[in-house]
Amino acid sequence: MARAYKALPPLWYLEDELVLSDRYPSGLEWRHTNGWHEQGEMAGKWSSPGNYYVLRLGGDQYHAHRIVHYLRTKQDPGNLDVVHDKTNQEKDNRKQLLLFERKPKKVPSRRYAPRRNTK
């Protein structure tokens, strides 16, 4: 079962703010200049603890690879995982991204259930 991800902004908003890019490993660049960034600059920063690119839009933080997938396919990944291909160890969003649904965890059978204290 996939994680519960924060809903992505609408596609029209993402297309207004961002452009898919082959120049940057985040896979995104800014469409407009504002007080925080210049037009054509890489959108997203490397997140060291998570080892992926993240960016802020409208005060919320999003995973760049989820936005890249959304802009490429025009389909919101929803709560499905967007993962990098196994050959993409550097987590470069310009390369192939895959949609992945986790299998639900099996409920342990009664045989292996912890014993209750019956006092």
Side-chain angles (χ1 to χ4, degrees):
M1 184 160 80
R3 299 178 183 141
Y5 288 103
K6 181 187 315 180
L8 292 174
L11 184 60
W12 64 266
Y13 178 73
L14 294 175
E15 290 175 333
D16 188 50
E17 294 291 323
L18 301 164
V19 177
L20 288 172
S21 173
D22 289 333
R23 298 191 305 167
Y24 304 114
S26 73
L28 298 167
E29 62 184 71
W30 295 107
R31 185 179 293 274
H32 307 287
T33 299
N34 70 13
W36 302 103
H37 51 261
E38 299 288 324
Q39 177 183 358
E41 274 185 346
M42 180 174 83
K45 304 272 187 222
W46 181 254
S47 173
S48 172
N51 293 332
Y52 49 80
Y53 289 92
V54 294
L55 69 140
R56 287 198 166 286
L57 284 170
D60 290 323
Q61 184 169 301
Y62 299 97
H63 298 169
H65 56 279
R66 294 182 61 76
I67 292 175
V68 168
H69 182 273
Y70 193 13
L71 289 172
R72 279 184 191 159
T73 64
K74 310 289 189 225
Q75 294 180 353
D76 188 348
N79 280 335
L80 297 176
D81 293 334
V82 177
V83 296
H84 297 92
D85 190 51
K86 289 180 183 179
T87 61
N88 186 2
Q89 296 300 317
E90 62 276 1
K91 309 272 176 98
D92 188 338
N93 293 333
R94 297 172 291 185
K95 297 180 181 176
Q96 184 177 15
L97 297 170
L98 307 168
L99 215 52
F100 180 73
E101 184 174 4
R102 295 178 187 215
K103 294 180 180 176
K105 292 184 178 179
K106 289 184 177 179
V107 177
S109 67
R110 188 162 172 79
R111 178 178 176 182
Y112 298 108
R115 292 185 180 179
R116 292 186 183 174
N117 205 354
T118 57
K119 288 185 180 181

